[in-house]
Amino acid sequence: MSKKRIGILTSGGDCPGLNATIRGVVKACYERFGEDNVQIVGISNGYYGLIHGLCRDMQPSEFSGILTQGGTILGTKRQPFKMMTVIGDDNIDKVKNMVETYNKQKLDCLLTLGGNGTHKTSNLLADAGLNVIGLPKTIDNDLYGTDVTFGFHTAVDIATDALDRLHTTAASHSRIIVCEIMGNKAGWLTLYAGIAGGADIILLPEIPYDIDKVCDAVVRRAQKGKTFSILAVAEGVNDIEIAKLKKKQREQYHVENGNDTARIAAQIQKNTGIEARVCVPGHMLRGGSPSAYDRMLATQFGVHAAKLIADEKFGRTVAMVDGKVTSNKLEDIAGKKKLVDPNGQQVQTARDLGISFGD
Ligand code: F6P
């Protein structure tokens, strides 16, 4: 019997839990099919590696000791979806090359670990006839069709720790500290960390803010004798006026002016007279070892992917729905985003605590 050849790649931004997922799926495949009947083919640097044939047969020992490792042992790269079907200066037909690599490697299936962009390309490859299974990764938690993505909760823990630490400086110096939190166009990370880290004001892309209302919230706290305030601000926030612009114009505004964080801090200092500082943890939020929650989630997702391989259920991506691990059709989720519901329970929880959203 010929060995089952399973290709794996990690694509887009790295995050904690990628290696734990790889380990989960590989160990479960070895268990199901027998170590001698499976060959894992590692594809370096995401779709770039698939386009350029950067593949190698991996040994079982390479998957030991990686549960706790951050980043990805396979390497990753951003390969924008919108360019996938465009032939650029390099004259490379990317989809054709990816199909060729898959066939040359005699793969039985391809596992793609990634977020929104990754899943759109996975769907493209499934349409091209490849046996693809996606696994939902991103600290942004904005992948449609799954309650949660691996990497998210570790990033929430790190962002919460940052807010905890900022509290001591803010309180000691009687300052405003504006902490910018990643998440792309989604506010999940900021909302969760903001609530868990005791932020006084939380600004999300899903709820455009009015700077006067943000300043009012700071002043209200000062009037109650609170000499400091902590703001958790998502990197993708929009001022209420900018939010009214068309998507393209809004994006252009941010290309020209950058994120709002520094402007928010400067405006608060100007309007309230209270000293303000900015903190941007940035990629720290994606670094290091996955939390126990993410190790568990990644392992469950990986094990489920092995089951999909055994059942030959391709063109799907693993998901957590209502607390149960399951899968969605790639075509049903690709290109859709899961954003924070401004009227949802979590936002209401924060409002009920008196946290301001600047609206
Ligand atoms: O998607 C994960 C993420 O960290 C986003 O939160 C952020 O906007 C983006 O990636 C940053 O990308 P890069 O690492 O390419 O700068």
Side-chain angles (χ1 to χ4, degrees):
M1 191 177 80
S2 63
K3 282 189 179 189
K4 208 179 258 305
R5 291 181 63 79
I6 301 171
I8 307 188
L9 61 81
T10 54
S11 175
D14 76 315
C15 81
L18 279 164
N19 290 327
T21 307
I22 294 170
R23 170 186 175 270
V25 69
V26 172
K27 273 179 96 92
C29 283
Y30 288 158
E31 278 298 309
R32 266 182 187 273
F33 309 118
E35 211 172 283
D36 294 339
N37 300 320
V38 178
Q39 179 58 59
I40 302 296
V41 180
I43 299 156
S44 302
N45 301 333
Y47 291 119
Y48 178 88
L50 194 60
I51 293 166
H52 295 279
L54 309 178
C55 309
R56 65 185 184 86
D57 287 1
M58 295 180 76
Q59 299 308 312
S61 60
E62 295 184 72
F63 303 102
S64 289
I66 63 169
L67 173 66
T68 60
Q69 260 182 41
T72 161
I73 58 167
L74 296 173
T76 187
K77 207 172 171 67
R78 291 203 184 276
Q79 197 76 35
F81 170 74
K82 61 178 181 218
M83 296 309 289
M84 278 297 182
T85 49
V86 176
I87 300 189
D89 294 342
D90 54 9
N91 214 21
I92 292 176
D93 183 333
K94 298 183 227 9
V95 176
K96 183 166 158 271
N97 274 26
M98 289 193 280
V99 172
E100 269 174 20
T101 303
Y102 182 98
N103 290 332
K104 229 186 249 169
Q105 288 292 326
K106 297 190 168 38
L107 297 182
D108 292 290
C109 68
L110 172 68
L111 302 177
T112 57
L113 282 63
N116 278 302
T118 304
H119 278 78
K120 284 194 269 186
T121 299
S122 301
N123 191 38
L124 193 70
L125 294 177
D127 283 346
L130 308 192
N131 294 333
V132 186
I133 295 173
L135 284 136
K137 163 236 73 166
T138 168
I139 64 163
D140 305 339
N141 197 33
D142 59 350
L143 199 71
Y144 185 83
T146 184
D147 298 345
V148 65
T149 52
F150 63 84
F152 171 63
H153 276 286
T154 306
V156 170
D157 290 348
I158 301 169
T160 301
D161 185 52
L163 293 174
D164 286 351
R165 288 169 193 276
L166 291 172
H167 265 88
T168 55
T169 297
S172 304
H173 286 262
S174 299
R175 280 178 181 162
I176 309 298
I177 300 193
V178 183
C179 181
E180 178 181 296
I181 298 177
M182 275 189 173
N184 198 7
K185 305 276 188 301
W188 293 108
L189 190 47
T190 305
L191 179 61
Y192 273 59
I195 294 173
D200 308 298
I201 297 165
I202 297 177
L203 304 184
L204 307 178
E206 294 87 346
I207 307 176
Y209 67 90
D210 176 338
I211 192 67
D212 291 334
K213 298 213 169 130
V214 173
C215 292
D216 287 349
V218 170
V219 169
R220 270 200 308 277
R221 269 178 61 78
Q223 283 166 347
K224 282 193 217 149
K226 312 273 185 178
T227 60
F228 72 93
S229 288
I230 298 284
L231 279 79
V233 175
E235 63 176 349
V237 293
N238 281 299
D239 172 274
I240 198 150
E241 291 307 320
I242 301 299
K244 288 179 190 157
L245 300 177
K246 293 214 166 74
K247 190 172 172 241
K248 275 237 159 77
Q249 290 172 302
R250 220 167 43 229
E251 281 170 1
Q252 189 54 30
Y253 170 84
H254 286 297
V255 168
E256 283 164 19
N257 299 285
N259 294 343
D260 286 10
T261 321
R263 283 190 295 282
I264 291 170
Q267 201 65 45
I268 294 175
Q269 181 163 311
K270 186 162 170 259
N271 291 11
T272 67
I274 308 171
E275 199 178 26
R277 291 284 191 274
V278 168
C279 170
V280 184
H283 291 84
M284 298 245 300
L285 301 174
R286 286 191 350 214
S289 188
S291 64
Y293 179 95
D294 268 332
R295 292 178 202 183
M296 175 67 182
L297 185 69
T299 305
Q300 283 182 287
F301 280 172
V303 166
H304 194 79
K307 182 170 168 7
L308 291 176
I309 297 171
D311 295 344
E312 301 194 345
K313 280 189 162 181
F314 301 117
R316 305 190 72 83
T317 189
V318 180
M320 177 73 82
V321 179
D322 296 335
K324 286 224 155 59
V325 181
T326 176
S327 67
N328 293 310
K329 280 189 187 162
L330 276 170
E331 63 188 10
D332 290 344
I333 62 108
K336 295 183 191 163
K337 276 202 174 184
K338 181 186 70 183
L339 297 176
V340 172
D341 176 1
N343 302 311
Q345 223 175 29
Q346 293 112 331
V347 170
Q348 195 52 51
T349 298
R351 289 196 196 277
D352 289 349
L353 284 181
I355 294 173
S356 166
F357 286 84
D359 60 341

